Amino acid sequence: MNFIIFMNSKNIILITNGYPYNNGETFLEPELEYLSTVFDRIFILSINNIHFHKRKTPKNVSVVQINASLNLKQKVYAFANLILRFRYYYNIFREEISDINKYINSYKKIKSTVFHDLIVAIRTKDVIEKIMEDNVLNYGNTLLYSYWLNSSTTALSLIKTEHEDAVVISRAHGSDVYFEMSRTGFYSFRLFNLRKLNKLFSVSNKGKQYHIDSFGINVKNIIVSYLGISNNKGFKEIDYTGENELLLVSVSNVVELKRTLLIPELLLRLEGIKIKWVHFGDGVLFDELKEQSKILLSKLDNISYEFFGAVENKVVLNYYAKNNVNLFISLSSSEGIPVSMMEAMSFGIPVVSTDVGGVNELVKSDNGFIVNQDVNMDEISEVIIRYSSMNTAEKNRIRRNAYNHWNNYFNAEKNFPIFANQLLELL
């Protein structure tokens, strides 16, 4: 009887970069809740070198852990697998090198990177097939889903190559889409994956268009599917009368790409405006940020600041709920379509952001402020000065527009039920 039930069930194997362990991929949590209501069983393959702090998952979710880095034994096993099917994998490798030649000019480290990524994908493929075997799953009742467009997607594409009836999908965000965000200047097996995937769910129109412009592929299998966050707090107007301090919040890893170190330089220009700046998040440049802020800002009477470092997502949301935040600020050089901005806008907080990635699908002229991606300090300081001079009615108009845009396009309670049913219909 159990065997019959399992054969008729609808299942997902979902590959993540760590979730449900650690603090990352928080935006996957609400999606998983909806997926768990339409699929019978969900198997999460969590790929990360550090597994701690396991978050709660729905009852029908099982988790399998593997490390992102291969140890010597795993490398030998994957290499042996490759040798046993040398001609098959060599043809895939050779086709990838030919594909890369179509859109990459530099060959520095390309072959070694492609070979490494192929080995990783083969190992991941083996683990997925073991999960299916151990849990009596078949390709007719199991959707294979990579949350990121990376080597995990390549593993699914390898499966699709061998099993045409397999249904394989991936999401595409930002750091896994744009080649300029890669350490090597390209992503292996991009065309291979785009050819094999049943569906690619891009989190932004910008990401979809990037693939069309870069690769000239058939776009029928690319669907724009916005992420979303939940917020049942509702919208409230704020009486700014008598307030003489702007509360600015930034939320990001402190890394070069996010350009967080430019914020103290920006605040230095805002003479005559009383400002409190709060930052959530840490990273390799966090100590430098603290030191730079101390040097530039600590002696200014009109500027105060506070660094919370890396915290759980609920800490940030609680801060929004308890404080009248005026503006969310981001000077990033590249983005997908940031969930951190969705969260701020769900509380009616307008965003000041560089025009990168899919940000302009989230931040519009009537609900926030888009500035040049090259970070013109005069332009950004003028925006903040202009906002500070607005009256309560004007500020609340922007706040309501920010809230409404989140509610209309990035509300998890609207987006994820649609997404879950789209996946179910693929089986």
Side-chain angles (χ1 to χ4, degrees):
M1 178 65 71
N2 286 340
F3 179 75
I4 296 175
I5 292 174
F6 284 171
M7 290 296 291
N8 293 329
S9 66
K10 301 294 185 181
N11 315 292
I12 291 182
I13 296 178
L14 168 60
I15 313 169
T16 72
N17 281 357
Y19 183 88
Y21 296 94
N22 315 338
N23 293 324
E25 296 169 309
T26 56
F27 35 86
L28 179 52
E29 293 183 30
E31 177 181 317
L32 186 62
E33 290 293 330
Y34 289 98
L35 292 178
S36 69
T37 65
V38 300
F39 286 88
D40 298 294
R41 293 184 295 169
I42 299 175
F43 301 86
I44 295 179
L45 178 54
S46 174
I47 302 178
N48 196 283
N49 288 332
I50 303 175
H51 295 93
F52 66 91
H53 175 53
K54 182 180 179 182
R55 286 165 279 177
K56 290 184 178 180
T57 58
K59 292 182 179 180
N60 59 339
V61 173
S62 302
V63 181
V64 176
Q65 304 168 220
I66 63 172
N67 287 337
S69 300
L70 280 66
N71 60 36
L72 180 60
K73 181 179 179 181
Q74 291 166 334
K75 288 179 181 178
V76 170
Y77 181 83
F79 186 72
N81 191 328
L82 185 150
I83 294 299
L84 287 173
R85 306 185 64 193
F86 177 78
R87 178 168 295 182
Y88 169 71
Y89 285 121
Y90 176 72
N91 287 337
I92 292 174
F93 176 84
R94 186 176 60 181
E95 183 180 14
E96 173 61 12
I97 297 300
S98 175
D99 282 341
I100 289 174
N101 186 44
K102 299 172 185 176
Y103 53 87
I104 294 294
N105 294 322
S106 172
Y107 273 81
K108 184 180 180 181
K109 296 184 179 179
I110 281 182
K111 289 187 177 180
S112 61
T113 300
V114 170
F115 183 75
H116 170 270
D117 291 348
L118 180 59
I119 290 291
V120 171
I122 292 171
R123 191 276 296 259
T124 305
K125 169 182 175 288
D126 290 343
V127 175
I128 293 169
E129 291 174 336
K130 183 74 162 53
I131 293 172
M132 295 191 68
E133 180 182 349
D134 290 347
N135 293 279
V136 198
L137 306 177
N138 62 64
Y139 295 114
N141 69 6
T142 304
L143 182 79
L144 305 182
Y145 172 16
S146 175
Y147 196 66
W148 301 92
L149 187 55
N150 56 18
S151 292
S152 298
T153 312
T154 306
L156 302 188
S157 296
L158 291 174
I159 291 174
K160 182 72 172 181
T161 301
E162 298 178 20
H163 305 275
E164 290 187 4
D165 57 337
V167 180
V168 298
I169 69 165
S170 178
R171 274 203 184 270
H173 300 262
S175 59
D176 54 346
V177 170
Y178 307 109
F179 278 19
E180 65 267 22
M181 297 181 72
S182 167
R183 288 176 297 178
T184 57
F186 78 103
Y187 289 110
S188 300
F189 298 102
R190 182 52 46 92
L191 274 172
F192 177 63
N193 290 326
L194 292 173
R195 293 184 188 116
K196 294 295 180 180
L197 288 171
N198 291 82
K199 297 292 180 184
L200 175 65
F201 292 90
S202 173
V203 302
S204 69
N205 283 293
K206 178 68 177 292
K208 175 179 179 178
Q209 194 61 45
Y210 178 86
H211 283 115
I212 296 171
D213 294 341
S214 299
F215 310 109
I217 59 163
N218 185 338
V219 298
K220 290 182 179 179
N221 70 332
I222 305 181
I223 296 176
V224 176
S225 177
Y226 285 139
L227 299 177
I229 63 104
S230 299
N231 191 341
N232 59 5
K233 301 292 183 181
F235 177 80
K236 67 175 182 178
E237 293 191 345
I238 295 176
D239 183 4
Y240 290 101
T241 306
E243 288 195 4
N244 62 354
E245 181 180 72
L246 288 183
L247 177 54
L248 309 183
V249 170
S250 54
V251 180
S252 72
N253 291 327
V254 188
V255 295
E256 185 175 353
L257 180 143
K258 298 296 184 179
R259 300 195 290 210
T260 318
L261 267 64
L262 295 179
I263 295 179
E265 296 182 34
L266 172 66
L267 299 181
L268 193 63
R269 292 168 170 260
L270 299 173
E271 298 179 9
I273 303 176
K274 192 172 180 61
I275 291 175
K276 180 177 181 180
W277 168 43
V278 172
H279 178 78
F280 294 93
D282 63 9
V284 294
L285 299 178
F286 189 42
D287 288 339
E288 186 175 342
L289 176 66
K290 290 188 288 186
E291 182 63 25
Q292 181 168 315
S293 299
K294 181 179 179 181
I295 293 171
L296 296 179
L297 305 176
S298 60
K299 294 182 180 180
L300 299 179
D301 294 334
N302 67 314
I303 305 292
S304 62
Y305 57 91
E306 186 173 5
F307 298 125
F308 282 87
V311 297
E312 291 187 35
N313 181 248
K314 63 182 180 182
V315 174
V316 179
L317 302 183
N318 189 53
Y319 188 89
Y320 292 156
K322 292 185 176 181
N323 295 274
N324 293 339
V325 179
N326 291 94
L327 295 170
F328 178 104
I329 186 165
S330 170
L331 304 181
S332 181
S333 62
S334 186
E335 289 287 355
I337 187 163
V339 172
S340 59
M341 293 183 190
M342 298 177 200
E343 291 171 341
M345 292 174 68
S346 76
F347 285 88
I349 301 169
V351 173
V352 179
S353 175
T354 44
D355 189 4
V356 293
V359 169
N360 58 19
E361 297 172 44
L362 183 60
V363 184
K364 305 292 184 178
S365 60
D366 65 345
N367 66 29
F369 307 91
I370 288 283
V371 297
N372 191 288
Q373 63 179 344
D374 293 330
V375 183
N376 183 313
M377 290 294 188
D378 290 334
E379 178 192 12
I380 304 170
S381 57
E382 191 277 329
V383 163
I384 296 175
I385 292 169
R386 175 156 49 92
Y387 172 85
S388 70
S389 66
M390 291 179 179
N391 60 37
T392 292
E394 290 174 313
K395 289 177 179 176
N396 277 314
R397 176 185 60 80
I398 296 175
R399 282 174 48 78
R400 180 170 290 280
N401 288 340
Y403 174 85
N404 287 341
H405 193 68
W406 159 76
N407 189 42
N408 290 335
Y409 297 99
F410 301 97
N411 189 331
E413 295 177 10
K414 297 178 180 180
N415 292 359
F416 290 142
I418 294 172
F419 179 69
N421 283 303
Q422 284 177 317
L423 300 198
L424 190 63
E425 290 172 0
L426 291 173
L427 288 178

